[in-house]
Amino acid sequence: MNFELIKDEIAERLPEFILIRRKIHMNPETGMEEFKTTDLIIKTLESFGVYEIEKIGETGVVAIIRGNGEKCVAIRADIDALHIEEKTNLEYASKLDGIMHACGHDIHTISLLGSAYILNRHRDEIKGIVKLIFQPAEEKGIGAKYMIENGALENPKPVAIFGLHTWPDVEAGKIFHRHGKMGAASDRFEIKIIGKGGHAAHPEKTVDPIVIAGNVIVMIQNIVSRELSPLDSAVVSFAAINGGNVSNKIPSEVELKGSIRTLSEDTREYVHRRIEEVVENVSKSMRGSSEVKIHKGVPVSYNDRNVSVLIERACREVLGDENYIENPEPSMGSEDFAYYSDYVSSAMYRLGVGFKDRENAPLHSDKFMADEEAIPTGILSMVAVAEKLLNEL
């Protein structure tokens, strides 16, 4: 492929790509409810001359661009938004109360749509098949499984799948990438501390679940700080504490909710076990009882070495070494993209979307904004990586 020509083609259609992205941004939809987004994706693909399209259930799309050959690679973009009230004051801010593209999935979507336009335009130069996967419900951690269960990785089966994710800490137009571990496993827990309620003036006649809960919280934090190696990584965060609703009565129960993030399966299983042990033993030692439920979520995400190296080479060759940044460490954030790696070699890279010389709001912030200067890089990098994988994997 002539990537200098492709850069010109992207620049020529960029105003249209920006308008599509803004339409998606203004009309965000949350996981498994991306009905209008799905319809927009299909109509846009058809307008680009891509007609081998399958709608997955009510939300989600798989499209195929056939070149010369049977080898297949897949590109994934997630399309869902978050339950966040947007406070960016952008002229194209979300029209819907309490829903926002605060994680950049609108950028992911337009990057893949733009890639579809370019790849279809140059399909005679492609040595194989490119499968485009527009996935719902990443934020709920169920979308990748949904697409896999509905055949997204079959007929044809790709030899590899890749995707990108916006990264506001990196300037727009640059790629931020690493090999190996990419993101953490994400699990959630629910703890119920059961005591004996009574008058706040007579605590000796009660078993105070609030005091027990306080001790449980402290002891669980000690798992990370005193039982794991400083070279290992884990995060246990308590996000909700509920118990009682008046000032003069000790409640009979307290409920705690939170999340667990780990970077290895061994650490994951250890933290789970120790949380259960700590909650049970602390509660018993203070005359109470307890219930613990731990819900496993997304596993640790790894970038396959062979795929990841080709991503690096493609980005360096097309964008220049100055626009490629080595990512020194994995994130404690999670990605349901990890589920694809159970079936096919996979890797993901970060797309810088930060504005230069200003503070950028983080992902999942009500003030998150992506610099649209990143869109050409998103499209170009996807096309380059797809070609590189088909030619060299």
Side-chain angles (χ1 to χ4, degrees), residues 7 35 93 119 143 213 251 261 301:
K7 289 176 185 178
F35 310 122
L119 289 166
R261 304 296 175 106
S301 59

Side-chain angles (χ1 to χ4, degrees), residues 47 49 52 68 84 111 174 191 198 210 223 228 240 261-262 295 319 344 388 393:
S47 75
E52 194 170 344
N68 300 302
I84 295 175
S111 294
K174 298 184 182 296
I191 298 170
I210 292 179
I223 297 171
L228 300 182
R261 304 296 175 106
T262 49
H295 307 275
L319 300 170
V344 63
K388 180 68 73 174
L393 188 64

Side-chain angles (χ1 to χ4, degrees), residues 45-88:
L45 288 170
E46 290 174 343
S47 75
F48 291 164
V50 178
Y51 298 110
E52 194 170 344
I53 302 169
E54 180 183 2
K55 185 177 180 180
I56 306 299
E58 295 298 319
T59 175
V61 179
V62 173
I64 292 176
I65 297 173
R66 296 185 185 272
N68 300 302
E70 296 302 317
K71 182 189 289 186
C72 175
V73 298
I75 315 174
R76 174 270 208 172
D78 39 10
I79 65 175
D80 55 320
L82 286 155
H83 285 289
I84 295 175
E85 183 74 26
E86 182 164 354
K87 297 180 181 179
T88 62

Side-chain angles (χ1 to χ4, degrees), residues 189 191 213 216-218 220-221 236-241 256-259:
F189 61 82
I191 298 170
V216 164
I217 291 169
V218 171
I220 285 177
Q221 294 304 319
V236 180
S237 293
F238 287 86
I241 305 174
L256 310 172
K257 295 181 180 180
S259 68

